Amino acid sequence: MLPWKRLLGPLTALLLAAAAATAPASAAHASSAAATSSSGWNDYSCKPSAAHPRPVVLVHGTLGNSIDNWLSLAPYLEDRGYCVYSLDYGQLPGVPFFHGLGPIDESAEQLSAFVDKVLSATGAAKADLVGHSQGGMMPRYYLKFLGGAAKVNALVGLAPDNHGATLSGLTNLLPYFPGAEDLISAATPGLADQIPGSAFLAKLNAGGDTVPGVHYTVVATKYDEVATPWRSQYLSGPDVRNVLLQDLCPLDLSEHVAIGLFDRIAFHEVANALDPARATPTTCASALS
């Protein structure tokens, strides 16, 4: 018999460590990030322009936060004339910086309230959402069950775990450790919700991946080690564009973290999705644009 009670703690720690590897070092960036945020994004006096009439809401990934996840993408979009906002969601009591760990349906409610706040401040009728990892998947619950489809024009997911995250197969070991899933669910329900086969994912994906009226874009990388297999990130349905980063630039080696944190080739594809009328081809040269 496996000594599972002794192994349960290390397995959970391993799962958390693997997830933590996908998050930026929050505390290390806190002071510089605060300056970046106050000088640009999350400016509620920003009014969308005629060229970019919708505010962009950035939705961080698991163990990320509203600043560290967007130190590169937020300024990138600001420089292109967008009003940019980001939120914190899924906070657990006593856990600073590392968010996205609470129940995902409750996180979607936080997103709903934040979008309402942004729309009220900007006067815009709709927003565009850009999310990384869980942040690309969680908004689909908002769109599908919380009335978000009436308030959102587009959802762009960077390495979204739309059908779960196996952590390169690590979660497949959970059945060999009785009680492991219960422990993860109790301690970090946001992680448990992302395990393939969870009740949350079954509800989210039942009846189809998309809802009418929203434009969907998924940007994946074949080097993803978290939202695996990487093809599971893709969505099925009308008005969906699934993109593999290496089809745009075969030299791009970004994995799960890099695609959201600093990959300007992926960022160029985000800009195309936000403004398809002015889209330009995304290539390796987009890293310099």
Side-chain angles (χ1 to χ4, degrees):
M1 177 182 295
L2 286 172
W4 62 268
K5 290 186 178 179
R6 293 201 301 271
L7 292 171
L8 196 55
L11 175 65
T12 302
L14 183 59
L15 286 168
L16 290 172
T22 73
S26 301
H29 295 304
S31 60
S32 62
T36 302
S37 180
S38 64
S39 65
W41 88 87
N42 280 337
D43 175 5
Y44 286 91
S45 66
C46 185
K47 296 301 179 184
S49 65
H52 300 303
R54 293 177 300 276
V56 177
V57 174
L58 304 177
V59 190
H60 66 74
T62 305
L63 292 169
N65 63 57
S66 62
I67 295 176
D68 285 356
N69 212 142
W70 307 120
L71 289 172
S72 295
L73 181 56
Y76 179 95
L77 294 175
E78 269 192 294
D79 290 345
R80 284 153 180 79
Y82 289 92
C83 294
V84 181
Y85 303 86
S86 60
L87 78 156
D88 288 305
Y89 70 86
Q91 302 93 327
L92 292 181
V95 181
F97 302 117
F98 302 105
H99 304 319
L101 295 172
I104 297 181
D105 56 349
E106 295 180 9
S107 294
E109 293 176 359
Q110 292 178 278
L111 174 61
S112 176
F114 188 81
V115 171
D116 285 349
K117 177 182 177 181
V118 168
L119 294 180
S120 176
T122 60
K126 290 188 175 183
D128 289 324
L129 309 181
V130 179
H132 179 209
S133 191
Q134 181 190 161
M137 173 271 289
M138 176 270 280
R140 292 178 48 228
Y141 190 95
Y142 162 57
L143 299 177
K144 195 170 187 178
F145 299 110
L146 302 179
K151 303 174 184 179
V152 172
N153 169 71
L155 169 61
V156 185
L158 296 170
D161 55 340
N162 281 314
H163 300 94
T166 69
L167 300 175
S168 296
L170 187 60
T171 59
N172 296 332
L173 299 176
L174 288 173
Y176 295 98
F177 299 90
E181 290 193 48
D182 291 338
L183 177 61
I184 295 171
S185 181
T188 53
L191 292 182
D193 284 345
Q194 295 175 79
I195 296 173
S198 71
F200 172 83
L201 287 172
K203 178 179 179 179
L204 176 64
N205 294 313
D209 292 344
T210 64
V211 295
V214 179
H215 309 293
Y216 295 85
T217 300
V218 172
V219 184
T221 170
K222 68 180 182 181
Y223 299 113
D224 203 304
E225 73 282 28
V226 176
T228 52
W230 62 263
R231 288 182 180 83
S232 69
Q233 300 172 28
Y234 284 178
L235 295 172
S236 297
D239 211 347
V240 170
R241 183 165 187 261
N242 294 310
V243 181
L244 179 64
L245 196 57
Q246 285 72 34
D247 287 341
L248 305 174
C249 176
L251 300 177
D252 196 316
L253 302 179
S254 288
E255 41 63 72
H256 189 80
V257 176
I259 193 175
L261 265 61
F262 51 76
D263 191 315
R264 291 177 72 91
I265 297 171
F267 294 175
H268 187 270
E269 197 61 19
V270 170
N272 281 347
L274 296 177
D275 191 0
R278 297 178 178 86
T280 59
T282 301
T283 67
C284 293
S286 300
L288 304 177
S289 64

